[in-house]
Amino acid sequence: MVGTADIEDSGGTWSFVAAREPAEFAAVEVEGVPGVEHAGGNGRTLCGIRGRYLKHFLHHFQPRAPASCRQCRALAESAPSRPCGQERLHDLLLREADDGPLCRELLAALRRGARLAIWITGPAKDLTRSYSRIDRMTEDSGPAAEALAAAGASITLARVEDADRQYLVVLPPGGGARIARGALDGLPRA
């Protein structure tokens, strides 16, 4: 799940620039040298150790961890930041969604810092049942439900919460985002 930036950090207004996130790198260890974690990327560590000597972990490199490589720490901390989740979804919708009132409303909500409650890719059937909340969507739910039903093995869902509204974004593998909207605390439709 992705939250929003602290509004106080940006002087009272939310912006994509103020909400940028630090760069992330995979945590790796050099075979035969346990206890020191490095930042991995592009088949090597940031400090230059080649990929064939690396053991990858299932977590991100933590620059401030006591066991982190000092050179990787400095390089990771100086790496450019990346767009926040709201900006990434905003830009994806500009490319993948049809222009319309609901899309423009969601884009505006993302520019205000609306909360990303979930953005997940996985088995279409499971995500539809557990995370879509399609039964709570009251506007444009038909096209979103059709995209969910037509999805093959995998689909991407994003749910955005803004004031008293929630938006469901359905991203089928072939493109063509579908957007639905409902009340944030809406009860399932009968």
Side-chain angles (χ1 to χ4, degrees):
M1 292 216 281
V2 181
T4 58
D6 186 357
I7 291 175
E8 297 304 313
D9 290 344
S10 60
T13 59
W14 193 93
S15 71
F16 288 154
V17 173
R20 291 190 68 84
E21 300 171 351
E24 291 182 336
F25 300 93
V28 297
E29 186 176 85
V30 177
E31 288 182 18
V33 187
V36 178
E37 282 193 8
H38 296 267
N42 297 327
R44 60 180 42 213
T45 66
L46 292 184
C47 66
I49 301 168
R50 294 187 185 271
R52 67 179 177 210
Y53 304 110
L54 304 179
K55 176 175 127 183
H56 293 263
F57 294 108
L58 294 176
H59 62 269
H60 289 110
F61 176 72
Q62 300 295 320
R64 289 288 156 199
S68 67
C69 164
R70 281 188 247 159
Q71 190 174 0
C72 284
R73 174 186 301 161
L75 292 168
E77 288 177 340
S78 67
S81 60
R82 65 188 187 117
C84 65
Q86 288 87 343
E87 183 176 0
R88 292 191 308 268
L89 182 58
H90 179 276
D91 293 350
L92 185 137
L93 290 173
L94 287 175
R95 290 188 311 272
E96 298 289 332
D98 293 334
D99 185 33
L102 197 56
C103 181
R104 288 190 298 272
E105 186 179 300
L106 176 54
L107 291 171
L110 290 166
R111 286 190 295 271
R112 288 191 306 271
R115 181 179 174 281
L116 292 179
I118 194 166
W119 190 354
I120 190 169
T121 300
K125 185 177 178 182
D126 294 339
L127 293 186
T128 299
R129 181 178 56 247
S130 301
Y131 299 107
S132 73
R133 295 187 180 172
I134 192 70
D135 59 337
R136 297 176 185 198
M137 301 298 138
T138 55
E139 295 179 53
D140 286 353
S141 60
E146 289 172 15
L148 287 167
S154 180
I155 197 153
T156 298
L157 298 178
R159 208 172 56 252
V160 179
E161 297 175 350
D162 182 47
D164 60 346
R165 299 176 174 173
Q166 65 179 329
Y167 301 86
L168 173 66
V169 179
V170 179
L171 298 155
R178 299 289 177 251
I179 303 168
R181 180 178 67 189
L184 186 57
D185 58 357
L187 298 174
R189 289 181 294 179

